[in-house]
Amino acid sequence: MSSYKLLIDGQLVDGAATLDVINPAEGKVLATAPRADLAQLNQAVAAAKKAFPAWAALAPEEREAKLNQLADAIEAKADAFARLLTQEQGKPLAEAQGEVMGAVFGLRAFGAMRAETKELQRTDTARVIEVRKPLGVVAGIVPWNFPVLLMIMKVGPGLALGNTMVLKPAPTTPLTTLLFGELAAGILPPGVLNIIVDDNDLGSALTAHPDIAKVSFTGSTATGKKVMQSVASDLKRLTLELGGNDAAIVLDDVDIKQVAPAIYASAMSNSGQICLATKRVYAHSSHYDELCDELAILAKASVVGDGTEQGVTMGPLQNKMQYEKVKGFLLDAKAEGTVIAGGEAREGDGYFIQPTIVRDIADSARLVREEQFGPVLPVLKYDDVADAIRRANDSEYGLGGTVWTSNIERGIEVANQVDSGTIWVNKFLDLPFDVPFRGAKQSGMGGENGEEAINGYTQAKIINVAL
Ligand code: NAD
């Protein structure tokens, strides 16, 4: 038994089994979560299917009102959400507060979204209109790095546009999602939103379920490929938001002292566990040493610790598996490059890694080629910007990236040549809910936010009329 409950058909219920959730700052059990079995997954899908016609038939304004109620309910408990998020995920409290408030604003923004009917042609003899209809039951699968915000980026548009949902958080961060489920139970009609928790064992049953119309998946590229295979049998609609290996290209015209803190934050926020984090830096040879030194100063000034403690600027890695993986990247960094800050995991029970800056490392090193998803940043040197762009593009990923310059036009010109779904010039991680966000290459398919969300959660239909 657990005080946390699954949400199935409007009821808060125990799981068929339980799952221990670890506080990554302590390496100890934080709480016990309910764990669903296949029968409960099937109940959740059946409930969502039953709830769909009535929910889809509501006026968009009625659904928006429900989403606004959900936003208000989270906001009223924002402190509890943020604290629980820090305890289960690890990020410092200030970052957790930012994520929770992002979710509140997101629900309100998505609630206001409308799938407008468009007139495509009007002549004396014909009228062609395009309408958009909800898809049915959507499976939302969420990773552990932003459990609250990434959940809302699926629940918000999914429900606003008339779909019902079965949501599955990552097994290491289910608690804030279950807390959200408690609020939703009192606000949404039964079955509109169902929340199940697994131990990484129900994902494929959910994506393969014949009554699921669409899968919206955020997670690793490796799992994304499995999801794509799983939905192929009945051609379900699919959105994949996957991994990245974003490059920061620092042009020769910048003031290094001015841009270094932003570049550092773009790589190290959330302990580097962000799909769109800077995962490699390309700096012009004229200021390579200076940038390395500035980044090392910032890394050494970071306060690593339990995110609930005041003054802490970097929390632990979220889970043991990721911690072990990043320790492997530290070994690679030492073998292939020169570590100028950090380089060690912290002794003790939590999953702490010191923020690490690595210079003079080859392009062929694992730390440069793979997604480290942790606070270990390689800094590479270039002479010719065309070479930096070529090396940035030499990746199977294409999620985001940044360009740093004092010349905006030059920045846009370089940005235009980077193969990615998003690229920022002199800023990072700015993801407005009304601007589409998508991955190029193996970083994803389809997208979220803005027009992509409207198209992704609806089926377009053409009505072509003879006049
Ligand atoms: P993961 O792929 O291991 O897990 C993601 C989710 O998929 C979890 O809920 C997991 O339980 C579930 N899952 C596992 N096996 C499954 C299966 N066979 N079928 C369906 N679902 C299954 O990813 P993770 O380690 O939790 O997250 C880190 C990764 O996510 C990184 O690669 C990161 O870049 C990526 N990410 C991408 C975005 C984006 O928007 N592009 C955002 C955040 C994270």
Side-chain angles (χ1 to χ4, degrees):
M1 291 265 285
S2 146
S3 61
Y4 291 93
K5 307 285 181 196
L6 306 174
L7 175 59
I8 300 176
D9 203 8
Q11 303 295 312
L12 295 168
V13 297
D14 287 319
T18 58
L19 177 78
D20 284 342
V21 179
I22 306 293
N23 178 337
E26 297 174 343
K28 297 196 180 79
V29 176
L30 165 67
T32 303
R35 178 178 162 192
D37 63 5
L38 193 58
Q40 288 182 310
L41 182 156
N42 288 332
Q43 285 165 18
V45 177
K49 186 179 178 186
K50 189 173 67 179
F52 174 66
W55 181 251
L58 290 180
E61 293 72 22
E62 292 174 286
R63 292 193 294 261
E64 180 180 8
K66 293 290 184 194
L67 293 195
N68 284 336
Q69 265 180 277
L70 286 173
D72 294 346
I74 298 181
E75 193 170 21
K77 281 188 177 259
D79 286 343
F81 264 102
R83 202 172 170 78
L84 186 61
L85 179 56
T86 293
Q87 287 175 319
E88 72 170 341
Q89 202 280 335
K91 65 188 62 186
L93 206 48
E95 286 184 35
Q97 283 159 343
E99 179 173 345
V100 170
M101 287 316 291
V104 169
F105 296 136
L107 274 171
R108 294 189 182 128
F110 291 125
M113 227 169 211
R114 298 286 182 265
E116 307 286 357
T117 296
K118 290 182 190 152
E119 189 170 67
L120 302 184
Q121 274 187 24
R122 176 121 209 193
T123 65
D124 290 345
T125 55
R127 186 172 170 214
V128 181
I129 54 178
E130 182 186 78
V131 294
R132 289 197 162 267
K133 301 283 185 190
L135 297 165
V137 182
V138 174
I141 301 179
V142 181
W144 43 257
N145 59 343
F146 285 86
V148 180
L149 187 62
L150 296 177
M151 160 179 75
I152 292 306
M153 281 168 62
K154 302 190 186 306
V155 170
L159 297 190
L161 294 162
N163 305 281
T164 56
M165 295 189 79
V166 177
L167 193 67
K168 196 197 80 58
T172 56
T173 53
L175 301 179
T176 41
T177 306
L178 296 170
L179 184 59
F180 175 67
E182 275 176 40
L183 304 177
I187 294 172
L188 296 172
V192 166
L193 177 67
N194 303 272
I195 297 173
I196 57 164
V197 175
D198 71 341
D199 193 8
N200 267 334
D201 55 337
L202 291 180
S204 55
L206 181 60
T207 57
H209 197 295
D211 289 333
I212 297 285
K214 175 195 168 105
V215 176
S216 176
F217 173 86
T218 302
S220 63
T221 295
T223 311
K225 289 177 184 176
K226 288 189 203 160
V227 172
M228 194 166 175
Q229 279 175 338
S230 162
V231 304
S233 56
D234 46 8
L235 291 178
K236 291 183 175 79
R237 298 300 174 257
L238 178 64
T239 302
L240 295 174
E241 297 293 353
L242 307 177
N245 192 9
D246 294 4
I249 301 179
V250 188
L251 301 189
D252 57 5
D253 56 21
V254 291
D255 176 343
I256 289 292
K257 283 209 167 43
Q258 202 191 334
V259 298
I263 295 171
Y264 181 78
S266 77
M268 297 293 185
S269 301
N270 206 25
S271 301
Q273 303 164 115
I274 306 184
C275 53
L276 287 154
T278 294
K279 294 184 178 129
R280 40 198 177 122
V281 176
Y282 293 89
H284 189 261
S285 52
S286 61
H287 57 213
Y288 179 75
D289 291 339
E290 191 189 358
L291 181 61
C292 289
D293 292 348
E294 284 299 315
L295 292 173
I297 290 168
L298 291 159
K300 287 174 187 164
S302 286
V303 183
V304 178
D306 184 328
T308 58
E309 285 169 18
Q310 266 214 320
V312 164
T313 57
M314 183 182 284
L317 277 284
Q318 198 281 315
N319 57 70
K320 184 117 198 322
M321 202 201 264
Q322 189 61 24
Y323 174 65
E324 296 299 337
K325 191 174 145 195
V326 176
K327 282 206 288 188
F329 279 109
L330 284 181
L331 291 180
D332 181 67
K334 286 178 190 165
E336 303 274 335
T338 306
V339 173
I340 53 170
E344 302 297 330
R346 204 176 82 176
E347 292 298 315
D349 292 328
Y351 310 142
F352 296 102
I353 302 250
Q354 291 173 347
T356 298
I357 306 295
V358 187
R359 58 170 290 166
D360 302 321
I361 184 165
D363 284 8
S364 56
R366 267 189 65 216
L367 181 61
V368 180
R369 298 213 60 80
E370 296 178 21
E371 183 186 39
Q372 67 273 51
F373 221 58
V376 185
L377 182 66
V379 189
L380 302 120
K381 191 190 290 187
Y382 74 85
D383 289 310
D384 172 10
V385 71
D387 181 50
I389 295 166
R390 182 190 57 73
R391 289 157 70 196
N393 286 340
D394 181 20
S395 169
E396 72 232 34
Y397 294 112
L399 194 58
T402 54
V403 181
W404 302 88
T405 178
S406 59
N407 179 334
I408 299 297
E409 288 313 314
R410 220 179 140 209
I412 293 172
E413 195 187 309
V414 173
N416 200 19
Q417 297 174 68
V418 175
D419 301 335
S420 66
T422 298
I423 185 141
W424 290 285
V425 179
N426 294 338
K427 55 155 87 169
F428 62 100
L429 270 182
D430 180 28
L431 284 179
F433 296 114
D434 57 352
V435 174
F437 156 55
R438 25 167 117 87
K441 300 195 268 185
Q442 292 191 34
S443 288
M445 289 187 67
E448 294 191 304
N449 293 356
E451 195 76 21
E452 284 279 5
I454 295 174
N455 295 344
Y457 285 97
T458 54
Q459 173 66 51
K461 178 163 70 176
I462 299 295
I463 303 177
N464 193 335
V465 187
L467 296 178

